[in-house]
Amino acid sequence: MTPPLLDRLLQIGDLFQKDMARAFDGTTLTPSRVHLLWMLQHAGPSTQQALAHLCEVSPRNITGLVDALEQSGHVRRTPHPTDRRSVIVELTAVATETMTQMQREHDELNKTLLDAVAPADRAAVARGVEAIAHRLEELVSAASADSITGKT
């Protein structure tokens, strides 16, 4: 019997988490820290408030993440050019190299995974994954809105 799609998606998510844990074993990087570095890589230097919004965490959480990444040499804080109350968080050269390597590995894994699918089926798989991701985003948004308004 073929497992339901949801079971397979959960299995894939679990495998990605295990692979990330393996990749960063022995380093100071955690999934949350890597996520913050990924956001900085794509958004560029940002305020902590903007990073909290991008990472969907509280300002308190972002402060802890930035503190740890600053201590490990992955980010630096610099004064905001126009707002004395804010700082800009940016990647260091070490983090830029780490993220460049991570992007290469990401691209290689993407290719390896797609190679498991017959070339004639790849477009259909991409459309299906996109549709599933979009639908799940809708469901999560609706559930979040319901929890705010008190609906069940």
Side-chain angles (χ1 to χ4, degrees):
M1 179 175 169
T2 303
L5 176 64
L6 182 58
D7 288 351
R8 283 301 207 187
L9 292 173
L10 291 169
Q11 178 188 20
I12 290 168
D14 185 52
L15 289 168
F16 278 128
Q17 286 182 339
K18 286 178 182 175
D19 188 53
M20 181 180 266
R22 178 206 48 79
F24 295 111
D25 188 37
T27 73
T28 60
L29 296 176
T30 64
S32 296
R33 292 175 189 174
V34 170
H35 185 232
L36 175 58
L37 293 174
W38 193 260
M39 292 293 115
L40 274 172
Q41 173 78 4
H42 293 283
S46 303
T47 63
Q48 288 187 188
Q49 182 178 8
L51 290 171
H53 178 73
L54 285 171
C55 294
E56 299 180 348
V57 298
S58 71
R60 182 182 201 145
N61 284 347
I62 212 69
T63 298
L65 290 169
V66 172
D67 286 348
L69 287 168
E70 187 174 43
Q71 186 175 20
S72 67
H74 288 93
V75 300
R76 73 177 142 262
R77 291 176 169 113
T78 57
H80 192 284
T82 60
D83 183 353
R84 293 183 329 180
R85 298 168 297 163
S86 293
V87 295
I88 299 292
V89 179
E90 59 188 343
L91 297 175
T92 63
V94 168
T96 299
E97 179 54 37
T98 298
M99 298 312 295
T100 300
Q101 178 63 30
M102 189 183 305
Q103 186 64 56
R104 272 194 298 270
E105 292 169 359
H106 188 92
D107 293 342
E108 290 169 12
L109 180 57
N110 188 66
K111 182 184 178 326
T112 298
L113 294 175
L114 282 175
D115 284 348
V117 178
D121 296 335
R122 290 180 188 162
V125 168
R127 285 190 308 273
V129 169
E130 183 64 30
I132 290 168
H134 180 72
R135 183 65 179 134
L136 186 55
E137 286 174 348
E138 290 175 343
L139 293 170
V140 169
S141 265
S144 180
D146 287 350
S147 72
I148 291 170
T149 61
K151 293 181 184 176
T152 56

